[in-house]
């Protein structure tokens, strides 16, 4: 593992594939021009709309999303995470899939979202991700990159389940991804503190690309795409407008924190 720049992309995706992919490429280009080698897109980067429409278009969205990720990773010679897009399971259900692509355009690893967002919020909004999504059944694997470190995938609502991240750190993760479309209501209180907790307790870097703003009259997301270091310090925060959070991933810092705070070695119950 060597030092490099990572980027967490922040988007306002709409129910418009072409618009979203154009926005994504524009922000990836911006990140590359600033030197980023590892770039991550948020959950629902290619489509953010009504669940029924998402399912109806799932086959097309899956094909277009994967083709885009492979083409763009190869074009810009970067490692690229597509933080979440629908892959059809049946006529009524999809998996929410995160896909990591290498600079040669080949798939490195993928993850099917395990924890689905079925929540009744105090602001009156109700979310039932399980109505159209089928939960994954396998823990994410850690992808070992000689240059970028050991990369662990997760997605959005997963961040509330620390056991998933303990699994990733226990299997060697150096960098954790949390691509998200976090609601504005929950995000204002929980987003940053949960991200910092996952970074601190696992002494890992954490990269969290995010959706932001209004996607429809009823759907608003929190923004604040972030990169956080293993001590829990926020290195970059994209705020609330579409943009890019960029920060250095430093193996020396990772080693320093793990040496000074060797909490993973002190676990009493494994």
């Amino acid at each position: 593992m060597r030092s490099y720049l990572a980027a967490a992309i922040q988007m306002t995706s709409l129910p418009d594939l072409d618009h979203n992919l154009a926005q994504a490429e524009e922000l990836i280009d911006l990140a590359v021009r600033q030197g980023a080698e590892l770039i991550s897109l948020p959950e629902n980067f290619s489509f953010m709309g009504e669940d029924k429409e998402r399912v109806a278009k799932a086959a097309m969205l899956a094909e277009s999303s994967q083709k885009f990720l492979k083409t763009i990773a190869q074009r810009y010679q970067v490692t690229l995470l597509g933080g979440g897009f629908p892959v059809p399971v049946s006529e009524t259900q999809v998996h929410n899939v995160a896909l990591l692509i290498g600079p040669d355009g080949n798939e490195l690893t993928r993850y099917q979202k395990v924890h689905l967002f079925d929540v009744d919020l105090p602001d009156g909004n109700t979310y039932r991700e399980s109505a159209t999504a089928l939960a994954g059944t396998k823990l994410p694997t850690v992808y070992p990159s000689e240059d970028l470190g050991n990369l662990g995938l997760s997605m959005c609502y997963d961040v509330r389940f620390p056991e998933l991240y303990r699994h990733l750190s226990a299997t060697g993760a150096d960098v954790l991804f949390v691509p998200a479309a976090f609601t504005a209501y929950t995000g204002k209180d929980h987003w940053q503190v949960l991200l910092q907790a996952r970074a601190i307790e696992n002494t890992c870097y954490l990269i969290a690309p995010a959706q932001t703003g209004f996607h429809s009259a009823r759907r608003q997301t929190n923004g604040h795409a972030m990169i956080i270091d293993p001590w829990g310090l926020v290195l970059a925060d994209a705020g609330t407008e579409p943009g890019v959070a960029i920060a250095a991933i430093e193996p020396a810092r990772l080693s320093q924190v793990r040496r000074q705070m060797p909490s993973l070695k002190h676990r009493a119950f494994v």
Side-chain angles (χ1 to χ4, degrees):
M1 181 182 180
R2 57 172 173 76
S3 300
Y4 61 93
L5 290 179
I9 301 293
Q10 183 155 287
M11 300 177 63
T12 303
S13 295
L14 303 172
D16 184 334
L17 174 69
D18 292 339
H19 171 275
N20 297 334
L21 296 186
Q23 180 185 187
E25 183 172 1
E26 180 181 345
L27 292 169
I28 290 167
D29 181 75
L30 175 62
V32 169
R33 284 189 280 111
Q34 295 181 53
E37 297 180 65
L38 177 62
I39 300 175
S40 51
L41 293 166
E43 185 181 29
N44 300 330
F45 73 92
S46 59
F47 186 85
M48 190 89 166
E50 295 295 329
D51 288 344
K52 288 183 179 180
E53 184 180 4
R54 185 167 174 263
V55 172
K57 296 181 176 180
M60 180 272 290
L61 292 173
E63 181 180 358
S64 297
S65 298
Q66 292 179 79
K67 182 179 179 180
F68 172 82
L69 293 171
K70 292 178 179 182
T71 300
I72 294 298
Q74 192 169 28
R75 177 180 300 164
Y76 289 95
Q77 289 295 288
V78 295
T79 300
L80 180 61
L81 176 74
F85 58 91
V87 174
V89 178
S90 68
E91 291 184 358
T92 58
Q93 286 188 305
V94 300
H95 279 307
N96 196 350
V97 174
L99 185 61
L100 187 68
I101 303 294
D104 58 2
N106 289 325
E107 178 178 330
L108 302 178
T109 189
R110 66 173 55 204
Y111 164 63
Q112 296 172 344
K113 187 179 182 183
V114 170
H115 299 104
L116 302 182
F117 192 57
D118 289 358
V119 177
D120 300 311
L121 294 180
D123 66 354
N125 283 314
T126 294
Y127 299 88
R128 290 288 179 270
E129 189 174 10
S130 66
T132 55
L134 183 66
T137 58
K138 296 180 180 179
L139 285 164
T141 57
V142 172
Y143 178 76
S145 169
E146 184 176 344
D147 289 332
L148 307 178
N150 297 327
L151 309 176
L153 274 57
S154 71
M155 202 186 306
C156 200
Y157 191 46
D158 284 336
V159 78
R160 296 182 181 272
F161 301 88
E163 61 273 16
L164 185 147
Y165 300 90
R166 190 61 95 204
H167 158 77
L168 291 171
S169 64
T171 50
D174 302 311
V175 177
L176 304 171
F177 288 106
V178 189
F182 228 73
T183 70
Y185 185 88
T186 57
K188 63 183 174 59
D189 297 323
H190 296 166
W191 172 245
Q192 182 172 327
V193 69
L194 285 168
L195 295 178
Q196 288 177 298
R198 299 297 85 85
I200 292 167
E201 68 197 8
N202 294 292
T203 53
C204 288
Y205 278 96
L206 191 144
I207 301 172
Q211 292 284 351
T212 192
F214 285 92
H215 311 275
S216 67
R218 295 185 300 165
R219 188 73 188 269
Q220 181 185 8
T221 50
N222 180 68
H224 295 285
M226 290 185 180
I227 300 178
I228 298 172
D229 89 346
W231 192 254
L233 300 178
V234 177
L235 302 179
D237 181 340
T240 58
E241 297 297 324
V244 182
I246 292 184
I249 307 299
E250 301 281 3
R253 174 63 169 166
L254 191 66
S255 297
Q256 176 194 34
V257 171
R258 290 178 172 179
R259 184 174 60 253
Q260 293 174 339
M261 185 59 68
S263 56
L264 292 177
K265 296 180 180 180
H266 297 158
R267 294 172 63 199
F269 303 102
V270 179

